[in-house]
Structure formats: C-alpha cells, structure tokens
Amino acid sequence: MSELLVERGPDGLVLLTLNRPDRRNAMTDGMTEQWRATMAELARDRDVRCVVVTGAGSAFSAGGDLSWLGERNVEPVPALRDRMLEFYRSWLSVTALEVPTIAAVNGPAVGAGLCLALACDLVYAADDARLLAPFTSLGLHPGMAATHLLPARAGVALAREMLLTGRAISGREAEIKGLVNRSFPRADLMTEVSAVAGEIIRNAPVATRLTKVALAAGHADLEAALRWEALAQPVTMASADLMEGLAARRERRVPKFTGS
Ligand SMILES: C/C=C/C(=O)SCCNC(=O)CCNC(=O)[C@H](O)C(C)(C)COP(=O)(O)OP(=O)(O)OC[C@H]1O[C@@H](n2cnc3c(N)ncnc32)[C@H](O)[C@@H]1OP(=O)(O)O
C-alpha cells in the first residue's frame, strides 16, 4: 500500500493523504521520496488548482519516524547534514507549488508533521487535534524550518513557548492564537476544507497563482511588493478572465474562468 495517496478531482482539486495510519503517518524515507516526486509532478501540471493535505486515520502526522531517528547516531554529522537537508527540502517543496495549498489537520500534528501543515498556505484543524513541536523534550534540535515557520505564523511568543517547552496546543487554541486559520469539529473538517478549496477553485486561475506566489515570496518591504504587483497586475489586466470577471459582475452571474 502506498504511503502517500493522491486523488485528483475533476475540478483541479488534488487530495494528498499521508497513509501510514498504524504509525500515525510518521514520515519514512519511502513516504518522503513519494512526496518529493508528487510535488515535482504537481508543479508541472497546469490543471491543478488547489492541493489539500491530510492524514489517514486518527492523526495528521506524528512527524519523524522514531525508529529512524534512533538509528541516526551511527552516521557522521556531515553526511547526516546532507541527508537532513534533503529530507527538509523534499517535504518543504510544497511551498514551491504555485497553486494554493491547504492542510486539513485531522488529528495530532507533531514535530516535522506540524511543520508540514504550517508550510501550507492555509491551515485548518480539528478543534481537538493536538499540535506540538516536542523536539527539545526528545533531546533533538528543531528541524524542518520549525524555528522559522512557527514564529512566522503565530509570532515569537507562542513559537518560543512551543519550542522551548514542547507543550501541545489544541486545534481550538491554535485558532485563537493565530497558528491555524480556523478550527472545526473533527467530523466537519473535510467538508469545511472542501468548501474553502471550492471557493479558491472558482476564482481566476492565473490571478490566483500569481497571488499565491506573491504571498509566498513574503515581500520584505513596500517597494518590493509594489514592483511585483506592477508586473503581475498588468498580466491579469491583459487576460480574458478579467473580461469575463467584469462581464459576470455586470450581468450579476457567476463567472466562468478559463485560465486564459
Ligand atoms: C526529523 C524530524 C523530527 C521530528 O519530527 S521530532 C517529533 C517525533 N514525533 C513524536 O515524538 C511523536 C510521537 N508520537 C506521539 O506522540 C503519539 O503517537 C501521537 C500523539 C502522534 C498519537 O497518539 P496515539 O493516537 O495515542 O497513538 P500511539 O498509541 O501513541 O501510537 C500508535 C502507534 O504509532 C506509533 N508511532 C507514533 N508516533 C510514531 C513516530 N513518530 N514514529 C514511529 N512510530 C510512531 C506508536 O509507536 C504506536 O505503535 P504500536 O501500535 O506498535 O505501539
């Protein structure tokens, strides 16, 4: 059985399910390689409009596989550094997709599993899901950009608390503290996430891709944002989709975008 399930909807929605439920979707070398190859394939596919990531069974992901971690102490540090960079980059290649990505955190998201969720553009969680980054409580330095992703999303106060104590927070608390976009009762999570994905997919494809890329770039200052927007906005001004969007607004109907 594949450790990563890939389901494609007719409307350009791709659902990715980490599929190792008996180990709470802990990440193996095999799963990492499947993820990397899938990201490369999705990046080339112009029909993809939105990617949703979730976990099979009761967890989103328990992060790094504990048995795998326990065997690393025989490897020399330089080789391990290269291997870890490859591991982080494989998973975080999700950030390079030009289409919006959504994490549906259906259950525990731990360590690298939490980082994967936070690397998506939008994060929705079951209100009772446990989110934690217990690296130091395991004796491990944080990895997979935890020291960047946590403060970037929720600010340094929560990031410091989570990384220095290893404390778990619930999906509900994560919503209140701004770590995730919203939380829902677990039974409603996938319905709510599908609704958000549907809203994204209904919008103009090129404008959506360019907006995702702009937000992901995280323009450091006003001038950088203006320079990007002064190029990207004219690209969409020249599109058939803008004409369709304006016509639909005039005619009070739903636009039919084609991505041209
Ligand atoms: C480079 C990356 C580093 C990192 O990511 S550091 C973080 C490493 N991860 C962890 O420390 C998480 C450890 N796991 C847990 O805390 C819990 O699990 C959960 C909260 C995720 C889920 O709890 P529950 O639903 O009660 O499941 P359960 O009974 O603890 O586990 C079910 C089976 O799954 C295996 N398992 C859980 N997490 C991992 C893991 N990270 N790597 C390998 N196996 C894991 C267990 O051992 C057990 O197995 P069996 O049924 O044979 O007893």
Side-chain angles (χ1 to χ4, degrees), residues 69-142:
L69 279 171
E71 291 159 8
R72 298 282 70 80
N73 60 357
V74 293
E75 285 183 51
V77 166
L80 205 43
R81 172 187 178 275
D82 293 348
R83 192 201 249 273
M84 293 319 297
L85 265 180
E86 203 177 312
F87 174 85
Y88 305 152
R89 286 186 172 138
S90 294
W91 286 100
L92 297 180
S93 61
V94 68
T95 61
L97 292 181
E98 289 184 356
V99 293
T101 56
I102 305 178
V105 181
N106 53 309
V110 190
L114 176 61
C115 293
L116 173 63
L118 299 182
C120 293
D121 297 309
L122 299 171
V123 189
Y124 299 100
D127 50 17
D128 62 349
R130 297 173 69 221
L131 285 68
L132 63 160
F135 295 98
T136 52
S137 57
L138 265 182
L140 196 61
H141 189 280

Side-chain angles (χ1 to χ4, degrees), residues 73-229:
N73 60 357
V74 293
E75 285 183 51
V77 166
L80 205 43
R81 172 187 178 275
D82 293 348
R83 192 201 249 273
M84 293 319 297
L85 265 180
E86 203 177 312
F87 174 85
Y88 305 152
R89 286 186 172 138
S90 294
W91 286 100
L92 297 180
S93 61
V94 68
T95 61
L97 292 181
E98 289 184 356
V99 293
T101 56
I102 305 178
V105 181
N106 53 309
V110 190
L114 176 61
C115 293
L116 173 63
L118 299 182
C120 293
D121 297 309
L122 299 171
V123 189
Y124 299 100
D127 50 17
D128 62 349
R130 297 173 69 221
L131 285 68
L132 63 160
F135 295 98
T136 52
S137 57
L138 265 182
L140 196 61
H141 189 280
M144 212 157 117
T147 56
H148 168 82
L149 292 167
L150 271 161
R153 268 204 183 261
V156 291
L158 184 65
R160 286 180 185 182
E161 190 174 65
M162 289 182 73
L163 287 169
L164 294 173
T165 68
R167 186 169 82 83
I169 63 172
S170 67
R172 178 82 188 112
E173 186 180 350
E175 175 185 5
I176 292 165
K177 297 202 164 146
L179 189 63
V180 304
N181 291 82
R182 272 183 284 161
S183 65
F184 302 104
R186 189 179 288 229
D188 300 338
L189 179 67
M190 291 315 285
T191 308
E192 297 287 352
V193 166
S194 300
V196 174
E199 287 178 56
I200 289 170
I201 287 171
R202 274 195 291 282
N203 291 336
V206 174
T208 301
R209 275 186 182 244
L210 291 172
T211 304
K212 146 79 196 242
V213 170
L215 289 167
H219 294 126
D221 58 39
L222 185 70
E223 190 55 29
L226 292 184
R227 284 176 188 278
W228 165 270
E229 289 177 5

